[in-house]
Amino acid sequence: MIAFLKGYIEEKKEGVVVLDVQGVGYRVEISSITQEQLESAGSEVKLLTYHHITDSDERLFGFFSTDEKALFEKLITVKGVGPKLGLTILSGLPADQLIGAITGSDAATLSKVPGIGKKTAERIIVELKDKLAEYAVSAGVTPTGSQEAGVTGEAISALESLGFKKKESEQAVLKAIKNTGSDDPSVIIKKALASLNK
């Protein structure tokens, strides 16, 4: 298993970078997020890698940050989402929007990514919503999506009107939603208030 590669950029084109690591050229597939972080040919770079091996194929996928790699590894646990589609999803939406769409059950936003239909979007939400909820709280990402965003927004506004700051209100509400599993604003506000008043 190759965990990372450190070498010089030999060639860089859309979706792919060739790294010269002590005279060996590694072809690494990358997202547009990582591509934007890379400098021009000749620069030294360290990429975290995911080594994908099947009976008929062997590929390396590279990531500039640990967060991006972690998100990719979560995406490919979903049935029907392979590494190639995982990379397309990362390229199609900024990380905070992607996490917000998943935790907020916003299939419409996910479906805007090329290669993702409504069914795949819904499957991603079902399988990853809970896994990403805690990450969303620590990253301060607010869920998107009609119903949940409405409930979330209502609860956050209620806490703000009580004098709490927006950021702490968001975090308390997201935590309350995760812990209660409820979509009743009064239940969520009560739980969020309890954690804020500790």
Side-chain angles (χ1 to χ4, degrees):
M1 179 74 175
I2 299 169
F4 71 87
L5 291 171
K6 188 176 181 182
Y8 293 91
I9 298 172
E10 182 72 26
E11 184 189 345
K12 186 175 92 164
K13 54 187 180 184
E14 197 179 339
V16 175
V17 65
V18 176
L19 284 189
D20 177 347
V21 181
Q22 296 179 339
V24 180
Y26 289 89
R27 182 184 186 276
V28 185
E29 294 180 48
I30 53 175
S31 72
S32 60
I33 299 169
T34 290
Q35 185 140 6
E36 283 164 18
Q37 307 279 343
L38 299 181
E39 291 176 33
S40 52
S43 310
E44 191 178 16
V45 70
K46 177 183 174 182
L47 283 181
L48 302 167
T49 53
Y50 175 83
H51 196 180
H52 181 68
I53 304 170
T54 63
D55 293 341
S56 58
D57 196 14
E58 195 169 334
R59 289 171 167 188
L60 278 170
F61 295 87
F63 309 92
F64 199 78
S65 72
T66 50
D67 281 353
E68 190 194 4
K69 186 183 180 207
L71 197 49
F72 170 83
E73 288 178 331
K74 281 193 167 60
L75 284 168
I76 61 172
T77 62
V78 178
K79 190 172 179 265
V81 178
K84 193 76 188 162
L85 184 54
L87 218 54
T88 303
I89 296 168
L90 288 177
S91 296
L93 283 173
D96 57 345
Q97 268 188 41
L98 178 59
I99 294 165
I102 294 168
T103 55
S105 303
D106 187 358
T109 295
L110 282 179
S111 302
K112 288 176 188 167
V113 177
I116 291 197
K118 194 165 184 287
K119 268 192 174 157
T120 307
E122 283 167 357
R123 194 182 298 131
I124 291 170
I125 288 164
V126 166
E127 294 191 27
L128 296 185
K129 186 177 173 177
D130 291 344
K131 291 177 187 172
L132 288 175
E134 213 163 288
Y135 181 85
V137 171
S138 64
V141 176
T142 307
T144 61
S146 51
Q147 188 211 353
E148 293 236 358
V151 172
T152 308
E154 193 179 325
I156 291 167
S157 297
L159 292 174
E160 281 184 279
S161 69
L162 293 170
F164 294 102
K165 290 190 177 76
K166 186 174 172 60
K167 187 88 170 170
E168 63 180 350
S169 300
E170 280 177 0
Q171 292 186 348
V173 167
L174 289 172
K175 205 175 261 181
I177 290 170
K178 184 174 180 285
N179 292 339
T180 61
S182 172
D183 59 2
D184 180 341
S186 60
V187 172
I188 293 162
I189 292 163
K190 213 171 179 181
K191 183 81 176 170
L193 262 176
S195 69
L196 284 167
N197 288 327
K198 269 182 187 172

